[in-house]
Amino acid sequence: MNSIANELTENKTGELKLYKELEFELVPGDNLSFVQQVADVKSERNALIKAAHGTTTLAFKFREGVLVATDSRATMGNVIASQEVKKVIEINDRLLGTMAGGAADCSYWGRVLGMECRLYQLRNKKLISVAAASKILANVVYRYKGSGLSMGMMVAGWDDKGPGLYYVDSDAQRLTNDLFSVGSGSTFAYGVLDAHYKYDMSLEEAKDLARRAIYHATHRDAYSGGIVRMYWVHKDGWVAYPLEDVSELYYQYHPEIEITNAADSPLTVNAA
């Protein structure tokens, strides 16, 4: 490498060049071992590189299909990087994926999954099943287990067996259930979902539940916010609904709150 650099930087007149050598600083030793030593994506220990991430995504099955909803805020630690991130990956006409964790990891592996699903369709002349798509994703990320990936994705769709919903993370854990919520705001979303979820819901009831769960998560979790993005997956494909600003939903779900001027309503202290 250095000999090539010297040859390129010296001309025929013998003039002195500024750069005599071309060198690159590389990670010492094995890359995987280096990442395991200095990086932490689960906030379990002090490390030189700590992955700070937050979001709220959810999906659940009901009698008319699968409802998927996410927020749109992207953060870098305590800094809001964007309020307009699309956290739903449209894999094919009947399959969706959600993003939670590192934005780059989720976006990249989501595109890889989309490529694999398209190749499956070309080879077999039919759409891939939800279970098979989630299994492909789990198998792919298993090879990178422990290498610093930060990813928690849901794969939702409709196939020959009806509605399907799977959760896959960067440790290659693969689960199926009727309801999932992933991200820093998931604990708040689960509070709403556990209280009101039922399989025998109408579409409007499902949309209201998803909207309410995302809103309450964004209200309590500083790392979630922006807009509510919702999709309905059914036997004929998926439908994307108009975006809704969570700041406007505040007054929809708290109609009893009135904005008052503090100067007109001074605090009073009752004597003991």
Side-chain angles (χ1 to χ4, degrees), residues 191-252:
V192 176
L193 293 172
D194 289 342
H196 301 286
Y197 171 77
K198 56 184 179 180
Y199 186 84
D200 190 28
M201 284 188 294
S202 66
L203 176 58
E204 291 303 318
E205 289 175 327
K207 288 168 58 180
D208 182 71
L209 176 59
R211 184 188 301 112
R212 185 184 294 269
I214 292 293
Y215 157 70
H216 279 286
T218 61
H219 185 59
R220 295 298 181 185
D221 177 36
Y223 301 99
S224 302
I227 58 177
V228 178
R229 191 185 304 272
M230 282 196 299
Y231 286 74
W232 170 40
V233 188
H234 53 88
K235 62 180 180 180
D236 296 321
W238 49 259
V239 177
Y241 292 103
L243 308 179
E244 300 179 79
D245 194 323
V246 296
S247 61
E248 297 178 1
L249 294 176
Y250 177 85
Y251 301 102
Q252 177 179 339

Coordinates of all heavy atoms in Angstrom, one line a residue, residues 191-252:
G191 N -49.5 -0.5 28.9 CA -50.5 -0.1 29.9 C -51.9 0.1 29.3 O -52.9 -0.3 29.9
V192 N -51.9 0.8 28.2 CA -53.1 1.1 27.5 C -53.6 -0.2 26.8 O -54.8 -0.6 26.8 CB -53.0 2.2 26.5 CG1 -54.2 2.4 25.7 CG2 -52.6 3.5 27.2
L193 N -52.7 -0.9 26.1 CA -53.1 -2.1 25.4 C -53.6 -3.2 26.3 O -54.7 -3.8 26.0 CB -51.9 -2.6 24.6 CG -51.4 -1.7 23.5 CD1 -50.1 -2.3 22.9 CD2 -52.4 -1.6 22.3
D194 N -53.0 -3.4 27.4 CA -53.4 -4.5 28.3 C -54.8 -4.2 28.9 O -55.6 -5.1 29.2 CB -52.4 -4.7 29.4 CG -51.1 -5.3 28.9 OD1 -51.1 -5.9 27.8 OD2 -50.1 -5.2 29.6
A195 N -55.1 -2.9 29.1 CA -56.3 -2.5 29.7 C -57.5 -2.6 28.7 O -58.7 -2.9 29.1 CB -56.2 -1.1 30.2
H196 N -57.3 -2.4 27.4 CA -58.4 -2.3 26.5 C -58.3 -3.3 25.3 O -59.3 -3.3 24.5 CB -58.4 -0.9 25.9 CG -58.6 0.2 26.9 ND1 -59.8 0.4 27.6 CD2 -57.7 1.1 27.5 CE1 -59.6 1.4 28.5 NE2 -58.3 1.8 28.4
Y197 N -57.3 -4.0 25.2 CA -57.2 -4.9 24.0 C -58.1 -6.1 24.1 O -58.3 -6.7 25.2 CB -55.7 -5.5 23.8 CG -55.6 -6.5 22.8 CD1 -55.6 -6.2 21.4 CD2 -55.6 -7.9 23.1 CE1 -55.6 -7.2 20.4 CE2 -55.5 -8.9 22.2 CZ -55.5 -8.5 20.8 OH -55.4 -9.5 19.9
K198 N -58.8 -6.4 23.0 CA -59.5 -7.6 22.8 C -59.5 -8.0 21.4 O -59.5 -7.2 20.5 CB -61.0 -7.4 23.3 CG -61.7 -6.3 22.6 CD -63.1 -6.1 23.2 CE -63.8 -4.9 22.5 NZ -65.2 -4.7 23.1
Y199 N -59.5 -9.3 21.1 CA -59.4 -9.8 19.7 C -60.6 -9.4 18.9 O -60.5 -9.0 17.7 CB -59.2 -11.3 19.7 CG -58.9 -11.8 18.3 CD1 -57.6 -11.8 17.8 CD2 -60.0 -12.3 17.5 CE1 -57.4 -12.3 16.5 CE2 -59.7 -12.8 16.2 CZ -58.4 -12.8 15.7 OH -58.2 -13.2 14.5
D200 N -61.8 -9.4 19.5 CA -63.0 -9.2 18.8 C -63.3 -7.7 18.7 O -64.4 -7.2 19.2 CB -64.2 -10.0 19.4 CG -65.4 -9.9 18.6 OD1 -65.3 -9.8 17.3 OD2 -66.6 -10.0 19.1
M201 N -62.4 -6.9 18.1 CA -62.6 -5.5 17.9 C -63.0 -5.2 16.5 O -62.6 -5.9 15.5 CB -61.3 -4.7 18.3 CG -61.1 -4.6 19.7 SD -59.7 -3.5 20.1 CE -58.3 -4.4 19.3
S202 N -63.7 -4.1 16.3 CA -63.9 -3.6 14.9 C -62.7 -2.8 14.5 O -61.8 -2.5 15.3 CB -65.1 -2.7 14.9 OG -64.9 -1.5 15.6
L203 N -62.6 -2.5 13.2 CA -61.5 -1.7 12.7 C -61.4 -0.3 13.4 O -60.3 0.1 13.7 CB -61.6 -1.5 11.2 CG -60.6 -0.7 10.5 CD1 -59.2 -1.2 10.7 CD2 -60.9 -0.5 9.0
E204 N -62.5 0.3 13.6 CA -62.4 1.7 14.2 C -62.0 1.6 15.6 O -61.2 2.4 16.1 CB -63.8 2.3 14.1 CG -64.2 2.8 12.7 CD -63.2 3.7 12.1 OE1 -62.7 4.6 12.8 OE2 -62.8 3.5 10.9
E205 N -62.4 0.5 16.3 CA -62.0 0.3 17.7 C -60.5 0.0 17.8 O -59.8 0.5 18.7 CB -62.7 -0.8 18.4 CG -64.2 -0.5 18.7 CD -65.0 -1.7 19.2 OE1 -64.6 -2.8 18.8 OE2 -65.9 -1.5 20.0
A206 N -60.0 -0.8 16.8 CA -58.5 -1.1 16.8 C -57.7 0.2 16.5 O -56.7 0.4 17.1 CB -58.3 -2.2 15.7
K207 N -58.2 1.0 15.6 CA -57.4 2.2 15.2 C -57.4 3.1 16.4 O -56.4 3.7 16.7 CB -58.1 2.9 14.0 CG -57.9 2.2 12.7 CD -58.8 2.8 11.6 CE -58.6 4.2 11.4 NZ -59.5 4.7 10.3
D208 N -58.5 3.3 17.1 CA -58.5 4.2 18.3 C -57.6 3.6 19.4 O -56.9 4.4 20.1 CB -60.0 4.3 18.8 CG -60.1 5.2 20.0 OD1 -59.9 6.5 19.8 OD2 -60.3 4.8 21.1
L209 N -57.6 2.3 19.6 CA -56.7 1.7 20.6 C -55.2 2.0 20.3 O -54.4 2.4 21.1 CB -57.0 0.2 20.8 CG -56.1 -0.5 21.7 CD1 -56.2 0.1 23.1 CD2 -56.4 -2.0 21.7
A210 N -54.9 1.7 19.0 CA -53.5 2.0 18.6 C -53.1 3.4 18.7 O -52.0 3.8 19.2 CB -53.3 1.5 17.2
R211 N -54.0 4.3 18.3 CA -53.7 5.7 18.4 C -53.6 6.2 19.8 O -52.6 6.9 20.2 CB -54.9 6.5 17.7 CG -54.7 8.0 17.7 CD -55.9 8.7 17.2 NE -56.3 8.2 15.8 CZ -57.5 7.5 15.6 NH1 -58.3 7.1 16.6 NH2 -57.8 7.2 14.4
R212 N -54.4 5.7 20.7 CA -54.4 6.1 22.1 C -53.1 5.6 22.8 O -52.5 6.3 23.6 CB -55.6 5.5 22.8 CG -55.7 5.9 24.3 CD -57.0 5.3 24.9 NE -58.2 5.7 24.3 CZ -58.9 6.8 24.8 NH1 -58.5 7.4 25.8 NH2 -60.0 7.1 24.2
A213 N -52.7 4.3 22.4 CA -51.5 3.7 23.0 C -50.2 4.5 22.6 O -49.4 4.8 23.5 CB -51.4 2.3 22.7
I214 N -50.1 4.8 21.3 CA -49.0 5.6 20.9 C -49.0 7.0 21.5 O -47.9 7.5 22.0 CB -49.0 5.7 19.3 CG1 -48.7 4.3 18.7 CG2 -47.9 6.7 18.9 CD1 -47.3 3.8 18.9
Y215 N -50.1 7.6 21.6 CA -50.2 9.0 22.2 C -49.7 8.9 23.6 O -48.9 9.8 24.0 CB -51.6 9.5 22.1 CG -51.8 10.6 23.1 CD1 -51.2 11.8 23.0 CD2 -52.5 10.3 24.3 CE1 -51.3 12.8 24.0 CE2 -52.6 11.3 25.3 CZ -52.0 12.5 25.1 OH -52.1 13.4 26.1
H216 N -50.2 8.0 24.4 CA -49.9 8.0 25.8 C -48.4 7.7 26.0 O -47.7 8.2 26.9 CB -50.7 7.0 26.6 CG -52.1 7.5 27.0 ND1 -52.3 8.4 28.0 CD2 -53.3 7.2 26.5 CE1 -53.6 8.7 28.1 NE2 -54.2 8.0 27.2
A217 N -47.8 6.9 25.1 CA -46.4 6.6 25.2 C -45.6 7.9 24.9 O -44.6 8.2 25.6 CB -46.0 5.5 24.2
T218 N -46.0 8.6 23.9 CA -45.3 9.8 23.5 C -45.5 10.9 24.6 O -44.6 11.8 24.8 CB -45.8 10.4 22.2 OG1 -47.2 10.7 22.3 CG2 -45.5 9.4 21.1
H219 N -46.6 10.9 25.3 CA -46.8 11.8 26.4 C -45.9 11.6 27.6 O -45.5 12.6 28.2 CB -48.3 11.8 26.8 CG -48.7 12.8 27.8 ND1 -48.6 14.2 27.6 CD2 -49.2 12.7 29.1 CE1 -49.0 14.8 28.6 NE2 -49.4 14.0 29.6
R220 N -45.6 10.4 27.9 CA -44.7 10.0 29.0 C -43.3 9.7 28.7 O -42.4 9.9 29.6 CB -45.4 8.8 29.8 CG -46.7 9.1 30.3 CD -46.7 10.2 31.4 NE -48.0 10.4 32.0 CZ -48.3 11.4 32.9 NH1 -47.3 12.2 33.3 NH2 -49.5 11.6 33.4
D221 N -43.0 9.4 27.5 CA -41.6 9.0 27.1 C -41.0 10.1 26.3 O -41.5 10.4 25.2 CB -41.6 7.7 26.3 CG -40.2 7.3 25.8 OD1 -39.3 7.5 26.6 OD2 -40.1 6.8 24.7
A222 N -39.9 10.7 26.8 CA -39.3 11.8 26.1 C -38.6 11.4 24.8 O -38.4 12.3 24.0 CB -38.2 12.4 27.0
Y223 N -38.4 10.1 24.6 CA -37.7 9.7 23.4 C -38.7 9.3 22.3 O -38.3 8.8 21.3 CB -36.8 8.5 23.7 CG -35.7 8.9 24.8 CD1 -35.9 8.6 26.1 CD2 -34.6 9.6 24.4 CE1 -34.9 8.9 27.0 CE2 -33.6 10.0 25.3 CZ -33.8 9.6 26.6 OH -32.8 10.0 27.5
S224 N -40.0 9.4 22.6 CA -41.0 9.1 21.6 C -41.8 10.4 21.3 O -42.0 11.2 22.2 CB -41.9 8.0 22.1 OG -41.2 6.8 22.4
G225 N -42.3 10.6 20.1 CA -43.1 11.8 19.8 C -43.3 11.9 18.3 O -43.1 11.0 17.5
G226 N -43.7 13.1 17.9 CA -43.8 13.4 16.5 C -45.2 13.1 16.0 O -46.2 13.8 16.4
I227 N -45.4 12.1 15.2 CA -46.7 11.8 14.6 C -47.0 10.3 14.8 O -46.1 9.5 15.1 CB -46.7 12.1 13.1 CG1 -45.6 11.3 12.4 CG2 -46.6 13.6 12.8 CD1 -45.6 11.5 10.9
V228 N -48.3 10.0 14.7 CA -48.7 8.6 14.8 C -48.9 8.1 13.3 O -49.6 8.7 12.5 CB -50.1 8.5 15.5 CG1 -50.5 7.0 15.5 CG2 -49.9 9.0 17.0
R229 N -48.2 7.0 13.0 CA -48.3 6.4 11.7 C -49.0 5.1 11.9 O -48.5 4.2 12.6 CB -47.0 6.3 11.1 CG -47.0 5.9 9.6 CD -45.6 5.6 9.1 NE -44.7 6.8 9.3 CZ -44.6 7.8 8.4 NH1 -45.3 7.8 7.3 NH2 -43.8 8.8 8.7
M230 N -50.1 4.8 11.2 CA -50.9 3.6 11.3 C -51.1 2.9 10.0 O -51.3 3.5 9.0 CB -52.2 3.9 12.0 CG -52.2 4.1 13.4 SD -53.9 4.0 14.2 CE -54.7 5.3 13.3
Y231 N -51.0 1.6 10.1 CA -51.3 0.7 8.9 C -52.3 -0.4 9.4 O -52.2 -0.9 10.5 CB -50.0 0.0 8.4 CG -49.1 0.9 7.6 CD1 -48.3 1.8 8.3 CD2 -49.0 0.8 6.3 CE1 -47.4 2.6 7.6 CE2 -48.1 1.6 5.6 CZ -47.3 2.5 6.2 OH -46.4 3.3 5.5
W232 N -53.2 -0.8 8.5 CA -54.0 -1.9 8.7 C -53.7 -3.0 7.6 O -53.8 -2.7 6.4 CB -55.5 -1.5 8.6 CG -56.5 -2.6 8.5 CD1 -56.4 -3.8 9.3 CD2 -57.7 -2.7 7.7 NE1 -57.5 -4.6 9.0 CE2 -58.3 -4.0 8.0 CE3 -58.3 -1.9 6.8 CZ2 -59.5 -4.4 7.4 CZ3 -59.4 -2.3 6.2 CH2 -60.0 -3.5 6.5
V233 N -53.3 -4.2 8.1 CA -53.0 -5.3 7.2 C -54.2 -6.2 7.1 O -54.6 -6.7 8.2 CB -51.8 -6.0 7.6 CG1 -51.4 -7.1 6.5 CG2 -50.6 -5.1 7.9
H234 N -54.8 -6.5 5.9 CA -55.9 -7.4 5.8 C -55.7 -8.3 4.7 O -54.6 -8.4 4.1 CB -57.2 -6.6 5.6 CG -57.1 -5.6 4.5 ND1 -57.4 -5.9 3.2 CD2 -56.7 -4.3 4.4 CE1 -57.3 -4.9 2.4 NE2 -56.8 -3.9 3.1
K235 N -56.7 -9.2 4.3 CA -56.5 -10.2 3.4 C -56.1 -9.7 2.0 O -55.6 -10.5 1.1 CB -57.7 -11.1 3.3 CG -59.0 -10.4 2.9 CD -60.1 -11.4 2.9 CE -61.4 -10.7 2.4 NZ -62.6 -11.6 2.4
D236 N -56.5 -8.5 1.7 CA -56.3 -7.9 0.3 C -55.0 -7.0 0.3 O -54.8 -6.4 -0.8 CB -57.5 -7.2 -0.2 CG -58.7 -8.1 -0.3 OD1 -58.5 -9.2 -0.8 OD2 -59.8 -7.7 0.0
G237 N -54.3 -6.9 1.3 CA -53.1 -6.0 1.4 C -53.1 -5.2 2.6 O -53.6 -5.5 3.6
W238 N -52.4 -4.1 2.5 CA -52.3 -3.1 3.7 C -52.8 -1.8 3.2 O -52.7 -1.4 2.1 CB -50.9 -3.1 4.3 CG -49.8 -2.9 3.3 CD1 -48.9 -3.8 2.9 CD2 -49.4 -1.6 2.7 NE1 -48.0 -3.3 2.0 CE2 -48.3 -1.9 1.9 CE3 -49.8 -0.3 2.8 CZ2 -47.6 -0.9 1.2 CZ3 -49.2 0.7 2.1 CH2 -48.1 0.4 1.3
V239 N -53.3 -1.0 4.2 CA -53.8 0.4 4.0 C -53.0 1.3 5.0 O -52.9 1.0 6.2 CB -55.3 0.5 4.3 CG1 -55.8 1.9 4.2 CG2 -56.0 -0.5 3.4
A240 N -52.5 2.4 4.5 CA -51.8 3.4 5.3 C -52.8 4.5 5.6 O -53.4 5.0 4.6 CB -50.5 3.9 4.6
Y241 N -52.9 4.9 6.8 CA -53.8 6.0 7.2 C -53.1 7.3 7.3 O -51.9 7.4 7.4 CB -54.5 5.6 8.5 CG -55.4 4.5 8.4 CD1 -55.0 3.2 8.9 CD2 -56.6 4.6 7.8 CE1 -55.9 2.1 8.8 CE2 -57.5 3.5 7.7 CZ -57.1 2.3 8.2 OH -57.9 1.2 8.0
P242 N -53.8 8.4 7.2 CA -53.2 9.8 7.3 C -52.5 9.9 8.6 O -52.9 9.4 9.7 CB -54.4 10.7 7.2 CG -55.5 9.9 6.5 CD -55.3 8.5 6.9
L243 N -51.4 10.7 8.6 CA -50.6 11.0 9.8 C -51.3 11.9 10.8 O -52.1 12.8 10.3 CB -49.3 11.6 9.4 CG -48.5 10.9 8.3 CD1 -47.2 11.6 8.0 CD2 -48.2 9.4 8.7
E244 N -51.1 11.6 12.1 CA -51.8 12.4 13.1 C -50.7 13.0 14.1 O -49.9 12.2 14.6 CB -52.8 11.6 13.8 CG -53.9 11.1 12.9 CD -54.9 10.2 13.7 OE1 -55.8 10.8 14.4 OE2 -54.8 9.0 13.6
D245 N -50.7 14.3 14.3 CA -49.8 14.9 15.2 C -50.2 14.6 16.7 O -51.3 14.8 17.1 CB -49.8 16.4 15.0 CG -48.6 17.1 15.7 OD1 -48.2 16.7 16.8 OD2 -48.1 18.1 15.1
V246 N -49.2 14.1 17.4 CA -49.5 13.7 18.8 C -49.9 14.9 19.7 O -50.6 14.8 20.7 CB -48.3 12.9 19.5 CG1 -48.1 11.6 18.7 CG2 -47.1 13.8 19.5
S247 N -49.3 16.1 19.3 CA -49.7 17.3 20.1 C -51.2 17.7 20.0 O -51.7 18.2 20.9 CB -48.8 18.5 19.7 OG -49.0 18.8 18.3
E248 N -51.8 17.3 18.8 CA -53.2 17.6 18.7 C -54.0 16.5 19.4 O -55.1 16.8 19.8 CB -53.5 17.6 17.2 CG -52.8 18.8 16.5 CD -53.1 18.8 15.0 OE1 -53.9 17.9 14.5 OE2 -52.6 19.7 14.3
L249 N -53.5 15.3 19.5 CA -54.2 14.2 20.1 C -54.3 14.5 21.6 O -55.2 13.9 22.3 CB -53.5 12.9 19.9 CG -53.5 12.4 18.5 CD1 -52.7 11.1 18.4 CD2 -55.0 12.1 18.0
Y250 N -53.4 15.3 22.2 CA -53.5 15.6 23.6 C -54.8 16.2 24.0 O -55.4 15.8 25.0 CB -52.4 16.7 23.9 CG -52.4 17.1 25.4 CD1 -51.7 16.4 26.3 CD2 -53.0 18.3 25.7 CE1 -51.7 16.8 27.6 CE2 -53.0 18.7 27.1 CZ -52.4 17.9 28.0 OH -52.4 18.3 29.3
Y251 N -55.4 17.1 23.2 CA -56.7 17.7 23.5 C -57.8 16.8 23.2 O -58.9 17.0 23.7 CB -56.8 19.0 22.8 CG -55.7 20.0 23.1 CD1 -54.6 20.2 22.3 CD2 -55.7 20.7 24.4 CE1 -53.6 21.0 22.6 CE2 -54.6 21.5 24.7 CZ -53.6 21.7 23.8 OH -52.6 22.5 24.2
Q252 N -57.6 15.8 22.3 CA -58.6 14.8 22.1 C -58.8 13.9 23.2 O -59.9 13.5 23.6 CB -58.3 14.0 20.8 CG -59.3 12.9 20.5 CD -59.0 12.2 19.2 OE1 -58.2 12.7 18.3 NE2 -59.5 11.0 19.0

